[in-house]
Amino acid sequence: MSSLSLSSFSFEDISTSAVDAAEAMFGELTQDVRDLVDVTIRTRVNGERVSRARALVREAAALLAEEATPGPAGVHVNGEGRSWNWGNAVVGVRNAVAPPVRLDWQVDGSTRAALSLGAAYEGPPGCVHGGVSAMLLDHMMGETASAHHTRLTVTGTLTLRYVQPLALGRVRMAARISGESGRKVTVTGWIGADGADGPAVEASGLFIIPRWAHGPAAPAGVGSLD
């Protein structure tokens, strides 16, 4: 956490419309890669087809690497207050590891989300890995603590209660702020299968507004860094 500061954010002199266009273009590519990951897990083709597929994947990787920047993707902000975190493991538009999660902000400040988790997120047979549930809840609850991106928060503690297995497929999540004290924000949340009787995982967490992010110099449009 000590490595985080205002300098961790990168200002980009690019219009919001250009950012949106890039997200749309690379988002489609990322979905293709997600589909590739999913079918790689489930396929039973023979060795010759696997060899052909590998050659195509290597060709695609070499093509994309022609203009790839080194290091992490980072968090970027433009002059209009638009931020983007394309490499994020939960919401990254250009990260095929991310489901991705798209938050639905409620008028009362709570958040909800609905998403599909397929074979790439499996732990126990037919069920979502417990660590994946934790990651999704951590991010969603951090975003909730940010009060719709009006402040920046990081996770202090996260406590999980695994109530029942979470089946792969369509799932729902929700989170809300349950208390605030100074730079500390308490959030509760849950995740469960769509249509199931009760949540599969319940969570409570303490989120902190860093001292360096407290005040008018804090980057606009950025919520949780988790």
Side-chain angles (χ1 to χ4, degrees):
M1 188 173 304
S2 60
S3 64
L4 292 176
S5 67
L6 289 177
S7 63
S8 301
F9 301 88
S10 174
F11 175 79
E12 298 286 340
D13 186 16
I14 181 175
S15 68
T16 296
S17 60
V19 174
D20 291 342
E23 280 197 352
M25 177 178 67
F26 285 103
E28 292 180 353
L29 170 64
T30 306
Q31 186 55 53
D32 291 339
V33 177
R34 287 191 189 98
D35 294 340
L36 176 62
V37 170
D38 181 79
V39 76
T40 298
I41 295 170
R42 297 182 295 103
T43 188
R44 295 187 178 184
V45 297
N46 60 28
E48 186 272 334
R49 290 189 177 182
V50 170
S51 295
R52 287 174 55 193
R54 289 188 63 198
L56 292 171
V57 170
R58 289 195 297 269
E59 180 182 355
L63 181 65
L64 295 173
E66 290 177 1
E67 295 186 46
T69 57
V75 181
H76 304 267
V77 184
N78 68 9
E80 301 170 41
R82 171 70 153 87
S83 65
W84 58 99
N85 190 1
W86 288 337
N88 187 275
V90 177
V91 297
V93 174
R94 291 174 62 171
N95 186 350
V97 172
V101 173
R102 301 185 186 279
L103 297 183
D104 181 12
W105 293 87
Q106 308 296 301
V107 294
D108 63 357
S110 64
T111 56
R112 294 182 178 276
L115 60 149
S116 294
L117 297 174
Y121 304 100
E122 187 173 29
C127 298
V128 176
H129 193 291
V132 172
S133 296
M135 178 178 69
L136 297 178
L137 284 168
D138 179 29
H139 187 92
M140 182 181 203
M141 291 164 67
E143 291 275 15
T144 304
S146 78
H148 210 157
H149 297 173
T150 60
R151 58 195 178 194
L152 188 148
T153 63
V154 294
T155 306
T157 61
L158 185 67
T159 302
L160 303 170
R161 177 173 177 263
Y162 291 87
V163 181
Q164 59 183 323
L166 176 59
L168 291 173
R170 196 70 174 167
V171 303
R172 295 188 178 276
M173 304 192 300
R176 66 177 183 85
I177 294 175
S178 56
E180 298 188 42
S181 178
R183 294 186 297 111
K184 299 178 180 179
V185 185
T186 305
V187 179
T188 58
W190 59 267
I191 184 171
D194 192 9
D197 183 18
V201 184
E202 298 174 335
S204 61
L206 179 65
F207 296 83
I208 310 298
I209 302 171
R211 294 185 187 279
W212 54 263
H214 190 61
V222 179
S224 170
L225 286 185
D226 302 297

